[in-house]
Amino acid sequence: IFNVSLDQVTGAMRRAAKTVNFGVIYGMSDYGLEQATDFTREEAAQFITSYFDKYPGVRDYIERTKTQAKEFGYVQTVLGRRRYIPEIKSPNRMVREAAERMAINMPVQGTSADIIKAAMINLHGEMEKRGVNSKMILQVHDELLFEVPPDEVQLMKEMVARLMPEAMKLTVPLQVDVKLGRNWGEMK
């Protein structure tokens, strides 16, 4: 997004890129991107244009997904979980466009949900097998929160870092960040 090497990417740049990625994929306009970031409207419009120029496969995915949803009446995750979207054929433009956004969103967000569920199942099984006292206590989007006794911190860090990326085999590797803190607000 920013045309810099990976080692030059800051946290702020990563957050902005995430907003651009998700916003553009789901049809965010230059106005919407301007409101969601520190970009001017012109910068936002340029980012959107540059994004599709650099990643034409994303535009292809969007159009292909909308076409498939119209043809079959549903979209699905990588694992085959379906969401039926009858509104995709609505004569009402606003209803139809909302359905198109749902169709584009569901395979991505649904597959992400499938991945985190598989990771949770795998982690729970391994935690039971090892008889740890740690507890998986919360899942928020793509994050898992554990309560871990001090003597199990290293074991749990290694287990999470190993098992979460193995939750689903994709053509791109899944990456995991492990953070530690006395409470959720202090994660580092």
Side-chain angles (χ1 to χ4, degrees):
I1 297 290
F2 292 98
N3 294 315
V4 299
S5 64
L6 192 56
D7 61 331
Q8 294 177 312
V9 176
T10 65
M13 292 167 83
R14 185 178 185 282
R15 284 186 295 281
K18 212 171 176 180
T19 301
V20 171
N21 276 312
F22 286 111
V24 170
I25 289 171
Y26 304 129
M28 186 181 280
S29 67
D30 54 355
Y31 173 77
L33 190 56
E34 174 191 25
Q35 297 303 305
T37 65
D38 291 331
F39 301 145
T40 65
R41 189 121 182 228
E42 295 75 27
E43 289 171 329
Q46 182 55 46
F47 262 91
I48 291 169
T49 300
S50 302
Y51 186 92
F52 284 128
D53 288 347
K54 189 169 186 173
Y55 304 107
V58 174
R59 187 181 305 273
D60 294 344
Y61 163 78
I62 291 169
E63 294 308 317
R64 186 175 61 251
T65 302
K66 289 193 292 190
T67 299
Q68 289 173 346
K70 289 173 189 162
E71 182 179 345
F72 299 112
Y74 66 85
V75 291
Q76 61 187 22
T77 67
V78 170
L79 294 181
R81 192 164 45 89
R82 292 181 181 177
R83 177 174 183 175
Y84 287 87
I85 307 176
E87 304 88 352
I88 198 89
K89 294 182 180 179
S90 173
N92 181 310
R93 182 180 61 83
M94 290 181 70
V95 171
R96 189 177 57 252
E97 287 176 354
E100 288 175 351
R101 287 190 296 275
M102 282 187 257
I104 294 162
N105 182 332
M106 188 279 183
V108 176
Q109 294 296 329
T111 297
S112 177
D114 291 348
I115 292 168
I116 197 72
K117 287 173 190 165
M120 290 169 71
I121 290 166
N122 295 344
L123 282 162
H124 181 263
E126 186 72 12
M127 290 167 70
E128 277 195 339
K129 180 178 149 189
R130 291 179 177 246
V132 297
N133 292 312
S134 297
K135 296 187 180 1
M136 190 180 332
I137 59 172
L138 184 65
Q139 179 244 328
V140 179
H141 303 294
D142 62 349
E143 294 183 10
L144 296 177
L145 185 66
F146 296 85
E147 190 172 86
V148 180
D151 63 323
E152 292 180 0
V153 167
Q154 194 57 38
L155 172 67
M156 287 301 296
K157 283 172 67 174
E158 291 168 4
M159 193 184 311
V160 167
R162 178 176 50 84
L163 290 176
M164 284 189 74
E166 295 175 357
M168 186 181 291
K169 300 294 183 220
L170 300 170
T171 55
V172 295
L174 295 174
Q175 293 183 319
V176 174
D177 293 324
V178 178
K179 298 177 183 178
L180 182 65
R182 293 186 55 77
N183 58 53
W184 196 13
E186 293 179 8
M187 291 294 178
K188 293 185 176 158

